[in-house]
Amino acid sequence: MLEIKNLHASIGNTKILKGLDLTVNSGEVHAIMGPNGSGKSTLASVIAGREDYDVTDGEINFQGNELSDIGPDERAREGIFLAFQYPVEIPGVSTTNFMKTAVNQIRESKGEKPLDAVEFLKLMKEKMKLVNIKQELLSRSINEGFSGGEKKRNEIFQMAMLDPKLSILDETDSGLDIDALKIVSNGVNALKSKENATVVVTHYQRLLDYIVPDFVHVLMDGKIVKSGDKNLALELEEKGYDWIKVKN
Amino acid sequence: MSKDDKILKEFTSKEYEHGWSVDFDVDQAPKGLNEDIVKLISKKKNEPNWLLDWRLKAFSNFKKMKEPNWSNLKIPRINYQDISYYSAPKKKKMLKSMDEVDPELIKTFEKLGISLQEQKRLSGVAVDAVIDSVSIGTTFKDKLSELGIIFCSFSEAVNEHPDLVRKHLGKVVPAKDNYFACLNSAVFSDGSFCYIPKGVRCPMELSTYFRINASNTGQFERTLIVADEGSYVSYLEGCTAPMRDENQLHAAVVEIHAEKDAEVKYSTVQNWYPGDKNGKGGIYNFVTKRGICNGINSKISWTQVETGSAITWKYPSCILKGDNSVGEFYSVAVTNNYQQADTGTKMIHIGKNTRSKIISKGISAGHSQNSYRGHVKVMRRANNSRNFSQCDSLLLGNKCGAHTFPYIDIENKSSMVEHEATTSKIGEDQIFYCLQRGIDEENAIALIVNGYAKEVLKQLPMEFSVEAQKLLSLTLEGSVG
């Protein structure tokens, strides 16, 4: 589904990704771990197509298409979803309205009819249950005055609404207490299928107790330096990132 | 070209939708401004002598006045002698009903999405349609008159309800109030008149639609709304003009009287031709709008969505004379390319326990300049009065300007005035968030801008709120900075 080869990316004159390779197949959950500043969030942004970053070398293929000339909105319509580490506030725009605009634009791009109010509400009600989110929250300006947990739940709600092929969760565990973490993880797990894939970007092993990865990759200094199964995360938790540095 | 520049370029190439004009026979006065022209206009309208005298007095005052220069606008010199002050589609005879209106004129309004045929019309709205200097027809007149509501063209009101007109004309905006109001008082041609009798709640929206069609003419209309005790009316004004290279002058006056327990809601969607992307052409929109809350518990609420005009100079205001009266001003003003707007309000608190609220949302893009100018005055006797003002500015791009000029005069110790102001830019983060959900850039900006203006848009009557949202999106399509 996703194939990244020799990816180099920088912001301004600072090189962040320096030859990264990663392959993700349908039905898989991958965890990307690494210390602060290793390039985890950059990788998530670059896959989503954020234009602040320059891709200087390498390629990203998604479902057989090379993404370099494809804008972020089109990537989203192709099925790439990014759950933001810091979801943005848009005053005066409710989550409901935001999602209605998104869902219908995606449908339109596939030549499908937009959902009418009744159909849309039905879809929303169904997805709300997944992350235990209340209608009242969805009627408020998106992310404005939301708690950390509400913001992250709202991200997963949007993921459920858009039903992406590839979901990238960028530090979704940050700022969550244990209850919120469970709710968010349950949502992500419920959405998992043989047709889609998930990339979890995280600092800590904690999240991986709930979202169990098939593969764990360690990202350091812009490259993946070690890959393994879920036990690698446990080993990291125990020994710290220095352990890998020393080995290299 | 950077991404921002590219987007801004796309956005500045956006075209004005109502820029066409229609050819029909017109009766047009020669260019120039003098006493004979004032007399000619009055004669064309078969006006009584008192009104002609009123006009002539205004004109003699006008000659002594100077154009105001205190605004934050660069106004090119206007040659008042190079304008024709009267232009009317020729009519063959007096019309008895809308069915006799020239089909060409009906088509003109249909092109604007306004049907003058009652059976096709949204049943909730009555329309007075004004082209250039005259009203060509008013719908639902009969139905409204069953309730005692008078809704007709100003000229008709002068002849059929002279006492009402004479009693109220120039009482809120005196003829020599300011330069442009004074000019209007001398040469005004038509407009709408509306009277809601005691205790009547007007069952439909009343609306005037103004269209400038002829070239080299100015439009000087006058609207007078009188809401008698305990009555209610919601009024909407819309306007468009053809695209022309020359600048055209629009200097209107709106006066509102609200008696005891009466409420008037006045909404404007202003979409005059704004000029091209280089700032050529466009309407100069110099308008005086003012209402008086005469009786206790009366309320006047102004809502405006300003997207058009090359230059806008406009301050819809409330004089809160009656105790417990309420004044409101909700405004969204959008400027793009080389448009300039200096707009805001005045809230004059005279009575006790009077309250006013000002919500102003400015949006500037391109090379435009957008100013909010507001005056809150609390007089000595206005005990326990309250004002709340919120003025927000949103900038798109880095070549435009947003300015706020709040003036506050408080002469009463028990009163309270609050003022909040913010300036922000549409964030790249907000845009990216939308893009990442599959929403394209144009829709993203429309979404963000409409969210920003929501507090004001929700004040508009339902039918027009949707129109206004579309108009905002259209004016700002693809503009980020």
Side-chain angles (χ1 to χ4, degrees):
Chain A
M1 178 183 287
L2 178 73
E3 200 178 8
I4 300 175
K5 285 185 209 152
N6 189 34
L7 183 65
H8 287 72
S10 52
I11 187 161
N13 291 322
T14 313
K15 289 178 182 159
I16 301 177
L17 299 181
K18 303 165 185 173
L20 183 141
D21 300 294
L22 178 69
T23 302
V24 177
N25 297 307
S26 300
E28 294 176 351
V29 176
H30 289 242
I32 312 270
M33 300 184 73
N36 283 329
S38 57
K40 299 188 300 292
S41 283
T42 299
L43 174 63
S45 295
V46 169
I47 297 171
R50 184 149 199 160
E51 290 174 9
D52 302 354
Y53 298 93
D54 296 320
V55 173
T56 51
D57 201 2
E59 56 185 64
I60 306 172
N61 290 290
F62 179 64
Q63 297 189 305
N65 296 318
E66 212 282 303
L67 291 183
S68 57
D69 288 333
I70 298 178
D73 49 338
E74 212 174 316
R75 292 184 195 196
R77 294 196 283 268
E78 290 299 318
I80 295 178
F81 181 90
L82 173 63
F84 285 68
Q85 182 178 4
Y86 303 110
V88 183
E89 295 176 3
I90 309 178
V93 178
S94 66
T95 302
T96 307
N97 187 9
F98 185 60
M99 276 297 102
K100 195 165 185 196
T101 310
V103 166
N104 283 337
Q105 186 153 14
I106 292 171
R107 291 181 66 90
E108 195 187 315
S109 76
K110 292 176 182 160
E112 294 166 357
K113 270 196 192 155
L115 295 181
D116 65 30
V118 177
E119 294 166 323
F120 181 77
L121 206 67
K122 196 175 155 227
L123 178 69
M124 233 177 58
K125 285 248 158 76
E126 185 188 309
K127 305 296 183 184
M128 276 158 61
K129 283 187 207 140
L130 273 176
V131 280
N132 194 13
I133 204 164
K134 294 221 162 54
Q135 178 82 51
E136 185 267 333
L137 193 74
L138 302 180
S139 309
R140 277 166 49 189
S141 291
I142 191 162
N143 294 320
E144 210 178 36
F146 285 22
S147 71
E150 285 170 336
K151 281 184 187 170
K152 296 301 167 75
R153 254 192 277 174
N154 190 275
E155 291 293 289
I156 305 305
F157 166 73
Q158 294 180 42
M159 176 175 146
M161 288 294 289
L162 302 180
D163 191 20
K165 296 201 176 72
L166 174 69
S167 302
I168 305 160
L169 312 183
D170 188 7
E171 306 268 3
T172 293
D173 50 336
S174 70
L176 290 189
D177 60 33
I178 199 76
D179 294 334
L181 187 65
K182 277 184 193 164
I183 294 170
V184 165
S185 306
N186 288 341
V188 174
N189 290 330
L191 293 170
K192 220 165 81 175
S193 77
K194 279 186 185 141
E195 279 75 45
N196 63 28
T198 312
V199 174
V200 183
V201 173
T202 183
H203 234 69
Y204 303 106
Q205 194 272 334
R206 191 179 68 152
L207 176 66
L208 305 181
D209 287 341
Y210 301 97
I211 303 173
V212 181
D214 301 300
F215 301 93
V216 174
H217 310 276
V218 181
L219 180 58
M220 285 176 96
D221 196 26
K223 278 186 202 170
I224 287 176
V225 292
K226 192 171 176 61
S227 298
D229 62 14
K230 64 181 179 187
N231 292 318
L232 177 58
L234 295 169
E235 211 172 342
L236 274 173
E237 181 83 354
E238 194 185 319
K239 299 180 180 167
Y241 290 109
D242 287 343
W243 160 68
I244 291 180
K245 263 189 212 160
V246 174
K247 272 183 72 180
N248 283 330
Chain B
M1 208 188 295
S2 84
K3 184 185 152 220
D4 291 357
D5 290 346
K6 200 175 84 195
I7 297 161
L8 279 172
K9 201 177 163 230
E10 278 170 22
F11 147 57
T12 47
S13 55
K14 207 66 212 166
E15 281 188 22
Y16 182 69
E17 221 187 335
H18 304 289
W20 42 271
S21 65
V22 179
D23 281 330
F24 34 71
D25 285 343
V26 291
D27 174 11
Q28 189 164 341
K31 284 181 183 177
L33 179 60
N34 50 54
E35 251 187 47
D36 289 341
I37 288 289
V38 176
K39 284 178 186 160
L40 175 83
I41 293 170
S42 187
K43 194 171 167 224
K44 290 244 180 230
K45 309 211 143 274
N46 296 317
E47 285 176 358
N49 282 333
W50 66 265
L51 190 51
L52 174 62
D53 292 344
W54 194 76
R55 286 177 181 275
L56 289 171
K57 202 172 151 201
F59 184 65
S60 86
N61 278 317
F62 176 74
K63 285 189 287 191
K64 291 178 222 149
M65 293 171 94
K66 285 206 169 71
E67 267 184 67
N69 58 6
W70 44 259
S71 68
N72 191 33
L73 301 168
K74 287 194 187 103
I75 306 175
R77 237 184 68 80
I78 298 167
N79 183 353
Y80 292 91
Q81 297 304 335
D82 198 35
I83 296 171
S84 166
Y85 288 82
Y86 184 83
S87 171
K90 268 189 188 147
K91 39 183 171 181
K92 295 178 180 79
K93 53 178 180 176
M94 280 302 289
L95 300 178
K96 286 200 195 74
S97 79
M98 289 305 291
D99 302 338
E100 293 175 23
V101 173
D102 181 350
E104 200 58 40
L105 292 176
I106 290 185
K107 260 192 252 162
T108 301
F109 277 89
E110 266 169 9
K111 217 165 153 183
L112 295 165
I114 300 185
S115 170
L116 297 177
Q117 283 157 296
E118 294 186 2
Q119 64 275 24
K120 285 191 195 162
R121 188 68 213 155
L122 285 168
S123 58
V125 189
V127 183
D128 182 28
V130 176
I131 279 202
D132 295 333
S133 304
V134 292
S135 163
I136 59 159
T138 310
T139 60
F140 291 110
K141 253 172 28 188
D142 298 341
K143 196 174 167 200
L144 291 167
S145 70
E146 284 168 20
L147 294 164
I149 296 170
I150 303 168
F151 180 46
C152 62
S153 75
F154 201 93
S155 313
E156 209 177 312
V158 168
N159 289 310
E160 287 175 23
H161 311 281
D163 296 343
L164 272 176
V165 174
R166 199 169 180 178
K167 186 176 165 196
H168 296 98
L169 177 70
K171 294 299 188 298
V172 191
V173 180
K176 53 180 177 180
D177 184 79
N178 67 70
Y179 190 78
F180 299 112
C182 194
L183 175 63
N184 175 288
S185 301
V187 300
F188 76 90
S189 41
D190 216 335
S192 304
F193 175 79
C194 164
Y195 172 79
I196 316 289
K198 267 185 200 172
V200 171
R201 198 181 161 87
C202 185
M204 54 176 80
E205 304 280 339
L206 302 188
S207 165
T208 307
Y209 198 93
F210 297 104
R211 172 81 182 166
I212 296 180
N213 192 65
S215 58
N216 299 311
T217 56
Q219 192 176 49
F220 307 91
E221 85 274 357
R222 210 165 168 112
T223 300
L224 179 56
I225 298 172
V226 180
D228 216 330
E229 288 183 13
S231 66
Y232 168 85
V233 63
S234 169
Y235 199 93
L236 187 112
E237 169 200 286
C239 38
T240 56
M243 290 198 263
R244 298 192 190 282
D245 286 347
E246 85 228 20
N247 293 107
Q248 283 180 283
L249 181 61
H250 172 254
V253 172
V254 175
E255 294 181 280
I256 299 177
H257 294 255
E259 299 303 330
K260 183 178 169 244
D261 297 319
E263 180 177 349
V264 178
K265 200 171 148 62
Y266 193 104
S267 315
T268 306
V269 176
Q270 189 263 104
N271 188 22
W272 294 116
Y273 177 52
D276 71 6
K277 60 176 194 263
N278 300 314
K280 192 168 190 193
I283 303 291
Y284 293 161
N285 188 34
F286 302 133
V287 172
T288 306
K289 291 184 170 177
R290 197 176 299 152
I292 184 162
C293 286
N294 228 353
I296 60 169
N297 301 324
S298 53
K299 179 175 176 183
I300 293 176
S301 179
W302 299 100
T303 303
Q304 59 172 19
V305 176
E306 303 280 311
T307 62
S309 300
I311 302 178
T312 296
W313 180 99
K314 181 179 170 190
Y315 315 91
S317 303
C318 298
I319 300 169
L320 303 172
K321 191 175 161 212
D323 290 349
N324 311 327
S325 60
V326 178
E328 291 176 339
F329 174 73
Y330 297 94
S331 169
V332 177
V334 190
T335 53
N336 186 13
N337 300 324
Y338 286 88
Q339 280 177 275
Q340 304 179 66
D342 192 304
T343 184
T345 184
K346 281 195 277 189
M347 292 291 172
I348 314 293
H349 294 254
I350 300 172
K352 294 182 180 65
N353 306 314
T354 47
R355 280 167 295 148
S356 64
K357 185 169 166 188
I358 298 170
I359 306 287
S360 163
K361 304 270 181 180
I363 302 165
S364 342
H367 295 261
S368 69
Q369 295 295 328
N370 199 328
S371 304
Y372 166 79
R373 187 182 302 277
H375 187 187
V376 175
K377 189 174 173 72
V378 179
M379 309 283 265
R380 207 167 42 83
R381 278 185 51 257
N383 291 339
N384 300 315
S385 292
R386 296 281 302 260
N387 161 265
F388 174 76
S389 304
Q390 188 185 332
C391 306
D392 298 329
S393 308
L394 187 67
L395 296 166
L396 312 178
N398 52 16
K399 295 186 182 73
C400 52
H403 317 270
T404 305
F405 303 97
Y407 304 90
I408 298 173
D409 279 329
I410 315 291
E411 293 172 16
N412 181 292
K413 279 187 184 157
S414 63
S415 295
M416 205 162 99
V417 170
E418 284 174 80
H419 182 92
E420 286 177 12
T422 66
T423 302
S424 53
K425 291 184 88 168
I426 285 192
E428 284 288 319
D429 284 355
Q430 288 174 325
I431 302 273
F432 181 66
Y433 194 54
C434 296
L435 292 175
Q436 211 301 305
R437 299 303 186 242
I439 300 169
D440 66 23
E441 210 148 53
E442 285 188 1
N443 283 327
I445 289 156
L447 199 67
I448 295 166
V449 167
N450 277 308
Y452 166 79
K454 193 179 170 194
E455 221 181 324
V456 174
L457 297 178
K458 74 177 185 202
Q459 297 296 329
L460 289 172
M462 261 303 272
E463 298 90 329
F464 303 109
S465 172
V466 177
E467 277 308 302
Q469 281 187 36
K470 265 195 239 157
L471 192 61
L472 271 192
S473 313
L474 203 74
T475 317
L476 287 166
E477 243 165 32
S479 60
V480 207

